[in-house]
Amino acid sequence: MTRQRHTFDRRQMLAGATLGLAAAAHPVWSQSPRKVVRNARVNQSVCKWCFRDFTVDELCEAGAAMGLRSVELLGPEDFATVKKHGLVCALTNAHGITKGLNDPANHGECLDAIRKAIDATADAGFPNVITFSGNRNGVPDDVGLEHCVTAVRQVIGQAEKRGVTIVMELLNSKVNHADYMCDKTPWGVELVDRVASERFKLLYDIYHMQIMEGDVIRTIQDHHDKIGHYHTAGNPGRHELDHTQELQYAPIMRAIVETGYQGYVAQEFIPTRDPLQSLAEAVELCDV
């Protein structure tokens, strides 16, 4: 979830449509942008942090017009805006990445954030809350896993009661998140098995796991029952899902659909060109 800023011209066209964006804070559509979702077998979302030059309201407006169903990685302060556009927040923020559940010293702070996020998410009628293992900081993986099990078991009852799923994100420790513990699918799968609740699953980030493991489609097929959410981005670079990167997203999306998955897949790439055009292209590519 590395953040960086890119400049762009908001007056460029959205995927060939005559979508005008005003230079002021809020966009003014010259006419309705082209809807790119046709098949809708994948519930698509977009991560707000990747489109930081847009307000939540602007991104929701554009996303809803494209056919997205969610704008995510937000807090309760943005829920009303999301709902105004007929969308959901498919994934609610909780605590940070580097200080996570693998260290008991972090449990108080992290679990308090998760509890508050569960209640706010349930009250809004939204589905998921994110959590992180945290960095190793010298803690062995088996010890860290046990600490994560202990932590999750303290909040899983609340999640079950409120109908919210907690998802732990798989991140790469090679390029973006050095020393992060939950950096391989087998470790995450063991954690899910140990917690043994339908309200605790993995966030399988395709970009991150391509860096760490590859073999994305087979992993999805083998462990889809342990996965509660997906993220996308092109590799290398974490940019557009285009011809410059190595992942083939159409067959990956078809594999996800074939598992019977009913959750959300979120676009989490950092655009290098016109952001809305890049988003529209990614959404169309994943609409298998």
Side-chain angles (χ1 to χ4, degrees):
M1 303 175 73
T2 307
R3 302 171 187 243
Q4 68 186 85
R5 187 177 184 86
H6 291 269
T7 59
F8 55 88
D9 181 358
R10 292 191 183 180
R11 292 166 294 181
Q12 292 178 358
M13 300 300 178
L14 168 60
T18 54
L19 170 61
L21 287 177
H26 298 283
V28 177
W29 313 120
S30 58
Q31 54 179 290
S32 296
R34 180 169 66 91
K35 184 176 181 179
V36 294
V37 171
R38 302 296 179 190
N39 297 315
R41 297 201 300 165
V42 178
N43 297 318
Q44 292 199 55
S45 179
V46 61
C47 296
K48 169 62 181 72
W49 75 265
C50 300
F51 294 80
R52 60 185 302 173
D53 290 312
F54 288 84
T55 66
V56 173
D57 191 61
E58 290 171 347
L59 188 58
C60 286
E61 184 175 3
M66 291 178 199
L68 292 180
R69 295 178 176 173
S70 162
V71 173
E72 67 177 57
L73 288 178
L74 301 173
E77 67 277 6
D78 293 312
F79 287 175
T81 301
V82 171
K83 287 187 172 185
K84 181 181 74 172
H85 293 280
L87 303 177
V88 304
C89 175
L91 188 60
T92 301
N93 283 326
H95 60 90
I97 294 174
T98 60
K99 295 173 60 178
L101 302 185
N102 65 345
D103 185 346
N106 302 328
H107 285 182
E109 179 181 350
C110 291
L111 294 180
D112 182 61
I114 291 171
R115 290 186 183 100
K116 290 177 180 176
I118 288 171
D119 282 339
T121 300
D123 290 345
F126 297 156
N128 303 307
V129 169
I130 195 170
T131 189
F132 300 97
S133 67
N135 288 359
R136 291 180 172 90
N137 291 323
V139 176
D141 284 3
D142 59 338
V143 175
L145 188 143
E146 184 62 40
H147 291 161
C148 286
V149 172
T150 299
V152 175
R153 284 177 176 170
Q154 295 180 57
V155 292
I156 200 63
Q158 179 187 357
E160 291 169 344
K161 181 178 180 180
R162 299 303 313 268
V164 170
T165 301
I166 304 168
V167 294
M168 178 172 285
E169 186 163 15
L170 290 154
L171 300 172
N172 85 77
S173 59
K174 180 179 177 181
V175 177
N176 301 109
H177 299 284
D179 201 42
Y180 184 74
M181 183 170 285
C182 186
D183 61 353
K184 291 185 177 64
T185 304
W187 189 94
V189 167
E190 183 175 354
L191 175 59
V192 172
D193 285 342
R194 293 276 298 278
V195 172
S197 170
E198 282 301 306
R199 289 298 177 181
F200 181 72
K201 293 184 179 291
L202 296 175
L203 193 176
Y204 186 83
D205 190 303
I206 297 163
Y207 159 77
H208 287 296
M209 290 303 97
Q210 172 67 3
I211 292 172
M212 296 301 296
E213 304 170 341
D215 206 16
V216 168
I217 289 177
R218 193 191 322 271
T219 300
I220 290 169
Q221 291 169 337
D222 289 348
H223 300 297
H224 63 88
D225 59 324
K226 308 297 193 301
I227 299 170
H229 201 69
Y230 290 91
H231 280 170
T232 76
N235 185 57
R238 201 194 186 118
H239 299 307
E240 283 86 353
L241 316 189
D242 60 16
H243 66 282
T244 67
Q245 58 91 40
E246 65 190 12
L247 285 157
Q248 295 291 317
Y249 269 99
I252 291 171
M253 290 301 121
R254 283 193 288 271
I256 291 172
V257 169
E258 288 166 4
T259 68
Y261 178 70
Q262 298 295 311
Y264 291 83
V265 175
Q267 305 291 347
E268 198 188 21
F269 65 90
I270 301 170
T272 61
R273 304 187 297 273
D274 177 274
L276 292 184
Q277 181 170 335
S278 291
L279 179 58
E281 290 170 354
V283 170
E284 190 166 26
L285 175 64
C286 292
D287 181 43
V288 295

